[in-house]
Amino acid sequence: MSSQQDVPRLFHIPLKYISLVTLTFQNSALILVMHYSRVMPGYDSNSRYLASTAVLLNEIIKLAICSAVAIYDRGAQKAFKEVFSSDCWKLAIPACLYTIQNSLQYVAVSNLDAATFQVTYQLKIITTAAFSVTILHRSLSSLKWMSLVMLTLGIALVQLPHDVVSMVASSFNLSLRLPGGSDDEQDSTTAKEGHHLAGEDDMNRTLGLFAVLIACILSGLAGVYFEKVLKGATASLWVRNVQLSFFSLFPAFFFGILWKDGAAISEKGFFFGYNAVVWTAIMLQAGGGIVVALCVNFADNIAKNFATSISILISFVASVYFFDFIVTANFVLGSMLVLIATYLYSKPDRRPTETQHKEEYRLVPLESTNSDDVSSSQSPRPPLDKFNDKQQ
C-alpha cells in the first residue's frame, strides 16, 4: 500500500482527482464543440470546413507536442531511437484505424446531436469486449455479460424513434409521455425548434448511427490489437503517442486530403470555413487526447467510467439548453440503462483468476482523441518525476 507521500500530485492536488475532472471536461467539451462546429449558423454543407483537414491538423499538433515532451524527457538522440525502434511499424495499423475512427467521429457529430452521440458511442465497450473474447481469448464474468446486454438495450432505446416506442408502450397500456405536454405538443415543439441551427437541416440520423457503429468497431479492434501485439513493451507514454501520430499522418494526408477532399481543397483552400470554434475543436481533440492518455495512467477504471457518465449527463443538459434537444422518455430510460451498465462493467470481479493477476499491468491503447478501450485494462505507470511535488 502506498503512503500518502507517494501519491502523485500536481500543485499539491492528487493527480487522481485532477484526472477525474480533466476526463469529464474533455469527454463532454470535445463532443459539444465538435457538434457545434458542424451545425453552427451561417455554415451550410457548402461553406463548412472540411473534416479531413481537421483530422490532419489534429495529428500534426499532437505530434509536435508529444515530440517536444519526449525530447525533453529522454533527450533528442535517445527519443529518436525509441520512436524509430525495430517494432515501431506495429503502430501503423492502430494508427490507421484510429485515423479512420477520428474521421468517422466528424461524420457522426455532423448527423447526431451531442447527447445521442455520447450515449451511442458507448458501443465501444461492447466491441472492445467482443474483440477481447475472440482475439485475446479473455473470459468475462456473468456480471460483465449482463452489463453488456443492458448496454445494448439502452443504446437501442436511445436510437429508436419516439413514436415507435410510444406505439409499443400503448399496446401494453403504458404511457411514455414526459411532464409538460402531450406527444403532439412535443412533436410540435420539435417542428418549431428543429431548424434552430442551419447545419441541422442536413443531419442524417441513419448515417450518423452507421458512422458511430463503424467507429466503435475500429476503436475496439485497434485497442485489442494494440494490447496483443505490444504487450510487454517498455516504451514511454510520449514515445507511443509520437509513433501513433507519426503513422497517422499518412492515412490522414493520402486518403483524407488527397483522395477524398483533394479537389475541394484545391478549389477552396486548406483552411476554408475555419473560425475560432473550429480551431477550438481541433485543439480539444489534439491536446485532449494527450491529456486523457496521461490521466488514464493516474485514474482507476471506476473513476474513468464515472467521468464518462458525468460527461454524458453534461452533454445531455447542454444539448437541451444550447441545441434545443427534445427530451423523450425512451432517451432518458435508455441513458439510465447505459450509465448503469457502464458502472457495472467497470466493477472488478470479486474473485480475480490467476490469469487476471498475471495480466494486471497491460498496455493501454493511447487513443488519438479520447479515452476509449481502457475500461478493462491498466497501464504501467510512467515515471512520476515530472508530476510529483518537490516539497516534503
Side-chain angles (χ1 to χ4, degrees):
M1 184 71 66
S2 300
S3 65
Q4 191 68 18
Q5 294 181 348
D6 294 332
V7 176
R9 298 170 179 268
L10 182 65
F11 302 117
H12 302 284
I13 304 175
L15 277 174
K16 178 178 180 179
Y17 301 117
I18 296 178
S19 301
L20 182 63
V21 176
T22 304
L23 287 169
T24 303
F25 173 79
Q26 195 273 341
N27 282 341
S28 54
L30 173 61
I31 301 305
L32 290 170
V33 175
M34 282 180 64
H35 176 70
Y36 182 71
S37 72
R38 304 300 290 174
V39 300
M40 55 186 166
Y43 294 86
D44 56 20
S45 58
N46 295 322
S47 58
R48 195 177 299 141
Y49 71 97
L50 299 171
S52 59
T53 62
V55 172
L56 179 63
L57 285 175
N58 162 46
E59 298 301 334
I60 292 176
I61 295 172
K62 182 181 171 186
L63 177 62
I65 296 175
C66 291
S67 297
V69 177
I71 291 174
Y72 173 78
D73 183 46
R74 313 290 288 177
Q77 186 175 5
K78 190 173 183 180
F80 182 85
K81 289 182 178 180
E82 291 181 353
V83 169
F84 296 101
S85 59
S86 59
D87 67 343
C88 69
W89 61 271
K90 296 178 181 179
L91 272 295
I93 295 177
C96 182
L97 295 177
Y98 285 141
T99 303
I100 299 174
Q101 177 197 341
N102 291 344
S103 300
L104 290 172
Q105 280 187 330
Y106 277 96
V107 176
V109 297
S110 301
N111 293 279
L112 295 174
D113 57 83
T116 302
F117 173 84
Q118 280 278 56
V119 174
T120 309
Y121 202 62
Q122 299 312 303
L123 275 170
K124 66 182 182 286
I125 298 177
I126 299 176
T127 59
T128 303
F131 285 119
S132 296
V133 171
T134 56
I135 297 178
L136 300 179
H137 306 292
R138 186 170 297 149
S139 60
L140 300 180
S141 65
S142 57
L143 177 63
K144 282 184 167 51
W145 281 116
M146 183 186 71
S147 64
L148 291 176
V149 173
M150 186 183 300
L151 181 63
T152 304
L153 293 175
I155 293 174
L157 273 176
V158 168
Q159 287 297 332
L160 281 176
H162 181 63
D163 55 352
V164 174
V165 179
S166 299
M167 185 184 305
V168 174
S170 62
S171 64
F172 293 94
N173 296 321
L174 299 175
S175 175
L176 288 179
R177 294 177 182 176
L178 291 173
S182 63
D183 289 340
D184 293 337
E185 290 173 345
Q186 291 180 7
D187 292 340
S188 175
T189 304
T190 305
K192 288 187 293 184
E193 297 182 345
H195 301 292
H196 179 70
L197 295 175
E200 292 183 344
D201 295 339
D202 302 323
M203 289 175 62
N204 185 331
R205 188 181 182 90
T206 302
L207 178 61
L209 176 59
F210 183 74
V212 170
L213 178 61
I214 300 302
C216 290
I217 292 175
L218 295 178
S219 174
L221 178 60
V224 171
Y225 171 89
F226 191 101
E227 181 176 344
K228 181 178 179 63
V229 175
L230 296 176
K231 183 177 179 180
T234 58
S236 69
L237 175 78
W238 301 107
V239 169
R240 288 306 185 201
N241 269 287
V242 171
Q243 292 172 327
L244 279 174
S245 296
F246 175 77
F247 285 111
S248 295
L249 294 179
F250 296 97
F253 178 77
F254 288 105
F255 293 106
I257 300 298
L258 294 184
W259 180 66
K260 180 177 178 293
D261 293 324
I265 293 174
S266 299
E267 177 185 353
K268 301 176 180 179
F270 187 91
F271 295 103
F272 174 79
Y274 273 60
N275 56 26
V277 176
V278 178
W279 280 110
T280 302
I282 293 173
M283 295 306 298
L284 279 173
Q285 193 175 27
I290 298 171
V291 172
V292 166
L294 179 62
C295 289
V296 163
N297 287 275
F298 300 102
D300 56 27
N301 294 329
I302 295 178
K304 179 263 175 184
N305 285 284
F306 177 76
T308 300
S309 301
I310 296 299
S311 68
I312 290 176
L313 297 178
I314 293 175
S315 298
F316 169 72
V317 174
S319 294
V320 173
Y321 185 79
F322 294 109
F323 302 118
D324 296 324
F325 176 70
I326 305 302
V327 182
T328 60
N330 56 296
F331 181 88
V332 174
L333 179 59
S335 299
M336 290 177 59
L337 287 176
V338 169
L339 293 178
I340 295 172
T342 302
Y343 168 75
L344 292 177
Y345 190 84
S346 67
K347 289 187 64 176
D349 297 330
R350 292 183 178 179
R351 296 179 180 177
T353 63
E354 181 180 354
T355 302
Q356 289 172 323
H357 278 304
K358 291 180 179 179
E359 295 183 354
E360 180 179 0
Y361 295 103
R362 289 192 288 264
L363 280 171
V364 172
L366 303 180
E367 181 121 12
S368 300
T369 59
N370 49 54
S371 55
D372 293 352
D373 313 321
V374 296
S375 59
S376 62
S377 61
Q378 284 290 345
S379 166
R381 302 294 196 242
L384 304 181
D385 311 23
K386 301 288 190 296
F387 307 101
N388 286 330
D389 289 335
K390 301 300 183 181
Q391 302 176 0
Q392 294 292 333

